[in-house]
Amino acid sequence: MADSSDPSPGPSAAPADRPRARAIAEALLDIGAVKLRPADPFTWTSGLVAPIYCDNRLTIAHPAVRGAIRDGFADVLDREGLLPATIAGTATAGIPHAAWLSEAVEMPMAYVRGEAKGHGVGAKIEGRVRPGDDVVLVEDLISTGGSALDAVGTLREAGAQVRAVLAIFSYRLGAARRAFDEADVDSHVLTDLRVLVDVAHAQQRLSDAEREALQAWRADPAAWSVEHGGAHPDA
């Protein structure tokens, strides 16, 4: 993996607040939001096989964890000078975190649907986002970046200026970095795969061999999937 000081933009860049990144990574492991299982990998909806599975929806059941996430996001907004802005969540996992964050920073909130409503005015954005509004989008996970960037596209179609995407966790996959670069939007994550693997290994939740397996997966997820009996993304 790249060095943690890697200055490259997008989701492959290391989290700016290293102590917070380690604390949130440990919390995600403790509550089971991120599971590491290199010897018995998970099958994702896409058919890809991976040694990691992330379900950050579990964070909403843990007040201390969700509070740490809210505070982390608020610090990013302050550090990067992203306010004032409407805080928009992705449906559905980004919505509660956007709500807690918008309340903390006293900013308007909206959320972006995965698809337009089949009734009424057929809205894809709930709340109020007007042409020219600055918006910060909140997502729970950056994998390839597809869902977050779909929401970015919807907001831009409405005339909004999307200043950044915030996410709890990123796998730091090359595909996501390329997608964010092409979309010309910044992203900021609270923690990522590199930090989480380091924490898990230091706490003896991962052996040396398991850590190497996760590093190999991140380097080439498609090849790792095929090697372990899973699908290729282009199949």
Side-chain angles (χ1 to χ4, degrees):
M1 288 186 180
D3 184 80
S4 61
S5 61
D6 180 3
S8 55
S12 60
D17 187 336
R18 184 76 175 185
R20 173 173 274 133
R22 292 184 67 86
I24 291 179
E26 182 174 359
L28 296 180
L29 289 167
D30 285 345
I31 68 173
V34 178
K35 295 180 172 63
L36 305 174
R37 212 166 67 191
D40 183 20
F42 302 94
T43 301
W44 289 3
T45 304
S46 62
L48 282 172
V49 164
I52 184 170
Y53 182 75
C54 180
D55 181 7
N56 282 333
R57 290 173 177 84
L58 289 174
T59 60
I60 68 176
H62 299 271
V65 178
R66 72 191 192 213
I69 291 166
R70 176 203 61 214
D71 294 347
F73 284 155
D75 283 353
V76 172
L77 295 176
D78 181 60
R79 183 178 67 245
E80 300 296 327
L82 295 172
L83 295 178
T86 295
I87 309 300
T90 56
T92 56
I95 294 173
H97 296 289
W100 292 316
L101 176 59
S102 66
E103 183 175 15
V105 298
E106 299 182 337
M107 286 288 123
M109 185 216 159
Y111 72 87
V112 184
R113 290 178 171 272
E115 57 185 41
K117 288 192 295 190
H119 59 280
V121 297
K124 286 194 72 176
I125 300 173
E126 302 291 358
R128 179 184 293 172
V129 174
R130 296 167 294 196
D133 282 355
D134 286 339
V135 176
V136 174
L137 183 68
V138 176
E139 175 68 289
D140 72 322
L141 169 69
I142 293 177
S143 177
T144 62
S147 61
L149 293 176
D150 284 347
V152 168
T154 297
L155 291 163
R156 285 174 169 171
E157 288 170 7
Q161 305 294 319
V162 181
R163 301 202 61 195
V165 174
L166 311 185
I168 301 169
F169 183 74
S170 170
Y171 294 130
R172 291 181 70 183
L173 300 181
R177 176 182 175 180
R178 291 188 293 272
F180 274 80
D181 284 348
E182 289 173 6
D184 192 26
V185 61
D186 291 334
S187 67
H188 304 277
V189 299
L190 298 183
T191 194
D192 63 16
L193 181 63
R194 178 188 175 94
V195 174
L196 186 134
V197 168
D198 285 349
V199 169
H201 184 259
Q203 296 180 349
Q204 300 184 332
R205 304 187 199 212
L206 282 177
S207 67
D208 291 348
E210 288 171 329
R211 179 174 62 173
E212 290 172 5
L214 281 152
Q215 292 170 336
W217 171 77
R218 179 188 171 262
D220 194 338
W224 199 96
S225 176
V226 171
E227 183 181 344
H228 291 80
H232 190 285
D234 299 328

